[in-house]
Amino acid sequence: MRKLSVSATLIALALLSTANAEEKMSMSDADKAMYAEMLENNPAAMDVAEGEEMFERLIGNEAYAKMLGVKEKDLPKYLSGFPRVVKSAGKVVTIAQTLQMAMADRGQSVPKLESNEIIKMSAYVKSLANGLKTSIDVKSDKQMKEMMALGQEVFEQRRGGRGLSCNSCHSADIIGQRLRMQPLPDLGVNKAAGTWPAYRMTQSQMVTLDKRFQQCMENALLAKIPLGSREMVGLEVYVTNKTKGNEIQIPGLKR
Amino acid sequence: MKTLIKIKPKEYKVGDVVKVDFMAMHPMETGMRKNKDTGEIIPAQYIDEVKFLFNDKLITKMVIWESLSVNPLMSISFKVPGAGTLKVIAKDNKGQSVESIEQITPKG
Amino acid sequence: MERRSFLKGFGVVAACATLLPHVANAADEAKKVAGPNEMNYENAVAAITGGKPLTPSAKVVIVAPEIAENGAVVPVKVTVQSPMSDKDYVKAIHVLASKNGNVRCANVYLTPANGEAYFGTRVKLGGTQDVVAIAEMSDGTFLSAKQNVKVTIGGCG
């Protein structure tokens, strides 16, 4: 009986704090407008500009389009569909991986996916699709279907000492509840996958989507899935598909 | 040090007051952060002076401190007196400096 | 709220709550390190005004978010009403973060060529505090305005 009353009190307290949090800890519309305005002077704009310089120097549009097997003028549309199957890779890859492939093609030493070069170049390359809608097609072929299924499995897989999965915080029925005062985002609405790579203000740096997944895993005390692994690419496929049809705007700006 | 200068709005006339946004790629290290791996304090490194000049005449001078965010933004107003060259000179406390130029071309 | 979804939500809170002590320790540790330009609010104001009175004024408008979801990038805009003529203009706009180790953020020395007394920037705030703007007028007076910014730290990373 006592136990019951304690938990009842806890629940009451929790509800109360939720109500208070909503009232006092949320940004007002004016506050939000100030942050929206910051997109005009995104601190990551210079990272993207650097990525452009590197891309022009190391790869270039012509060689890149040729490697992907598309016409230069079709690049933006093609880029809006990543992750996708690239013929020369023979599998589903991310934009970052295609940059590694292009550099290997040209006999250059290939930087890691974690490197500044790949991060900045992939942000620039994805920005070529700015204004277009995310056009990932998870039903286009067998490999995409497999990666979508793998991605969903990774998203729902409970791991670590606490048995947490991505779904523990990002399932549809708990969107908007607060985690340490921050509302849990809906990964399916606009400004999600279409806006990564993004500047993360809390870290004062530009971060890619897969790196963001790793940061999430780290904070949930889960082993980090390596960048470029099948599981990580699958996760990117699954989460990107949630935002299919949303506008691409690179670089994004996140808390 | 990579920089960006933006004039807002993009089109303006002589006599208009425009906004000049200047952004520089800089870590703005406070000198209070520790290297996560070594535990050593990362020395302070921050932009400490920014000058805005129009046709080499000083419009605005700023003394800047480490409290400005990484890749700092400094925005001022400017009354367009005519066509000319806007120059922004930024330097940091370690002596690194950069000069950026933007042409002012009023329409009408 | 359905019981099931509520319990799930509660689990989420518990999942990251254990990270809190870790964060708190990091913050305590950071406090021990003195920056190279430590200066408190009183001294910084005295250095600017030279001991002259500082008058809160509606002519100085400071805009900053009431709530900032991170302290690393907080937008601040200051506008001062002034004709910005050769005889009557704002000589300087000073921006201070009242509780940072070094409260000084920027000292901006304007001229009539600015046409408008305005300064916009983004600051780091070590925690909830007032952001203060001081306008140094050409007649030698000092006007001020402040905005309290509540810095909330949270989320999972």
Side-chain angles (χ1 to χ4, degrees):
Chain A
M1 185 60 210
R2 186 167 169 222
K3 204 172 182 182
L4 189 71
S5 72
V6 167
S7 59
T9 314
L10 266 178
I11 289 170
L13 275 173
L15 286 173
L16 193 65
S17 70
T18 309
N20 274 337
E22 207 58 58
E23 209 174 299
K24 288 177 187 166
M25 291 302 167
S26 287
M27 297 202 297
S28 65
D29 288 346
D31 290 356
K32 283 178 187 158
M34 279 197 93
Y35 282 94
E37 204 178 288
M38 276 171 61
L39 272 170
E40 284 179 25
N41 287 305
N42 193 316
M46 287 166 297
D47 294 283
V48 177
E50 270 196 352
E52 178 176 5
E53 285 168 16
M54 289 176 194
F55 181 77
E56 299 296 340
R57 191 175 73 240
L58 299 168
I59 302 169
N61 272 9
E62 197 187 334
Y64 186 57
K66 200 175 158 198
M67 191 274 298
L68 295 172
V70 292
K71 291 188 181 126
E72 257 185 85
K73 69 169 175 57
D74 297 332
L75 261 182
K77 179 77 192 133
Y78 188 79
L79 289 165
S80 72
F82 272 91
R84 67 188 305 155
V85 176
V86 171
K87 268 190 195 146
S88 51
K91 60 175 183 180
V92 179
V93 289
T94 62
I95 287 177
Q97 287 172 314
T98 63
L99 294 169
Q100 287 185 321
M101 288 160 56
M103 289 182 75
D105 265 6
R106 296 166 70 80
Q108 291 156 342
S109 64
V110 177
K112 288 185 175 174
L113 290 171
E114 290 85 347
S115 69
N116 262 329
E117 286 97 325
I118 296 294
I119 291 172
K120 289 182 181 183
M121 283 197 293
S122 62
Y124 165 67
V125 167
K126 190 168 175 186
S127 78
L128 295 174
N130 275 355
L132 298 179
K133 293 184 169 30
T134 304
S135 66
I136 186 170
D137 187 354
V138 295
K139 288 177 187 150
S140 59
D141 74 350
K142 191 166 160 275
Q143 295 200 70
M144 281 300 280
K145 282 181 197 161
E146 277 173 19
M147 288 306 259
M148 176 67 182
L150 177 64
Q152 180 164 4
E153 197 184 322
V154 172
F155 197 85
E156 291 168 358
Q157 177 74 56
R158 289 174 171 272
R159 299 194 289 139
R162 290 172 175 72
L164 292 171
S165 69
C166 306
N167 220 20
S168 308
C169 299
H170 300 289
S171 73
D173 56 348
I174 59 167
I175 287 165
Q177 289 191 34
R178 279 167 192 278
L179 178 64
R180 295 184 62 216
M181 304 211 303
Q182 292 301 324
L184 293 165
D186 180 348
L187 300 184
V189 297
N190 210 352
K191 312 292 181 213
T195 51
W196 291 90
Y199 192 80
R200 283 206 70 202
M201 292 185 272
T202 41
Q203 300 194 345
S204 295
Q205 63 175 347
M206 188 172 72
V207 172
T208 54
L209 183 61
D210 48 5
K211 192 77 194 157
R212 179 69 185 97
F213 291 154
Q214 283 195 333
Q215 289 167 354
C216 217
M217 291 168 198
E218 195 168 8
N219 282 309
L221 303 179
L222 306 178
K224 286 190 279 185
I225 297 175
L227 302 183
S229 63
R230 263 177 65 80
E231 287 74 12
M232 190 54 112
V233 176
L235 195 55
E236 188 163 336
V237 168
Y238 180 74
V239 173
T240 304
N241 187 54
K242 284 177 179 285
T243 65
K244 185 170 177 170
N246 288 338
E247 193 178 325
I248 296 173
Q249 278 304 338
I250 308 300
L253 183 68
K254 315 279 177 182
R255 181 187 62 83
Chain B
M1 209 192 298
K2 210 167 181 58
T3 62
L4 280 178
I5 301 178
K6 267 191 207 167
I7 311 289
K8 291 192 293 194
K10 279 180 186 164
E11 290 205 1
Y12 45 84
K13 299 189 297 285
V14 172
D16 283 357
V17 175
V18 295
K19 290 263 191 303
V20 179
D21 291 349
F22 172 71
M23 205 164 39
M25 196 167 199
H26 200 282
M28 297 301 281
E29 284 295 347
T30 57
M32 301 185 334
R33 256 170 24 108
K34 282 181 183 172
N35 180 316
K36 269 185 198 162
D37 300 322
T38 64
E40 280 171 31
I41 289 172
I42 303 167
Q45 187 182 2
Y46 55 93
I47 292 178
D48 62 356
E49 188 186 88
V50 181
K51 287 178 184 165
F52 291 71
L53 302 103
F54 182 70
N55 291 341
D56 291 324
K57 188 174 169 277
L58 186 71
I59 306 165
T60 303
K61 182 189 152 177
M62 301 176 180
V63 175
I64 298 297
W65 302 91
E66 67 275 18
S67 281
L68 258 55
S69 305
V70 176
N71 295 357
L73 166 76
M74 285 140 279
S75 179
I76 59 164
S77 287
F78 174 52
K79 190 170 185 178
V80 179
T85 306
L86 182 76
K87 194 193 290 177
V88 184
I89 306 170
K91 78 167 199 63
D92 75 7
N93 65 325
K94 301 255 173 163
Q96 257 195 68
S97 74
V98 64
E99 211 177 277
S100 322
I101 279 173
E102 182 78 17
Q103 294 306 323
I104 299 292
T105 49
K107 294 201 164 69
Chain C
M1 199 191 305
E2 278 179 34
R3 180 182 146 82
R4 192 170 149 267
S5 66
F6 169 73
L7 285 175
K8 256 194 199 168
F10 195 74
V12 169
V13 175
C16 259
T18 46
L19 288 173
L20 270 172
H22 174 73
V23 172
N25 285 342
D28 289 342
E29 215 173 290
K31 272 180 200 158
K32 286 177 198 156
V33 182
N37 303 313
E38 292 268 304
M39 188 180 270
N40 69 19
Y41 182 70
E42 286 70 27
N43 290 341
V45 171
I48 290 166
T49 61
K52 286 188 188 168
L54 187 59
T55 318
S57 166
K59 279 187 178 176
V60 184
V61 178
I62 181 165
V63 182
E66 283 172 35
I67 291 178
E69 284 183 348
N70 77 88
V73 189
V74 180
V76 177
K77 289 179 184 179
V78 181
T79 313
V80 187
Q81 278 176 32
S82 162
M84 291 305 272
S85 65
D86 289 340
K87 283 184 183 164
D88 182 3
Y89 68 102
V90 179
K91 282 169 82 175
I93 294 174
H94 306 273
V95 176
L96 307 176
S98 62
K99 283 186 181 157
N100 277 2
N102 172 14
V103 301
R104 295 165 294 184
C105 297
N107 313 102
V108 179
Y109 299 94
L110 304 171
T111 62
N114 285 106
E116 182 193 38
Y118 167 78
F119 175 59
T121 192
R122 303 191 279 238
V123 299
K124 292 183 260 207
L125 297 181
T128 297
Q129 56 185 291
D130 286 339
V131 180
V132 180
I134 299 178
E136 188 175 342
M137 311 303 278
S138 54
D139 66 3
T141 58
F142 292 88
L143 309 178
S144 75
K146 67 181 179 183
Q147 164 74 48
N148 186 264
V149 180
K150 209 177 269 174
V151 177
T152 66
I153 310 164
C156 227

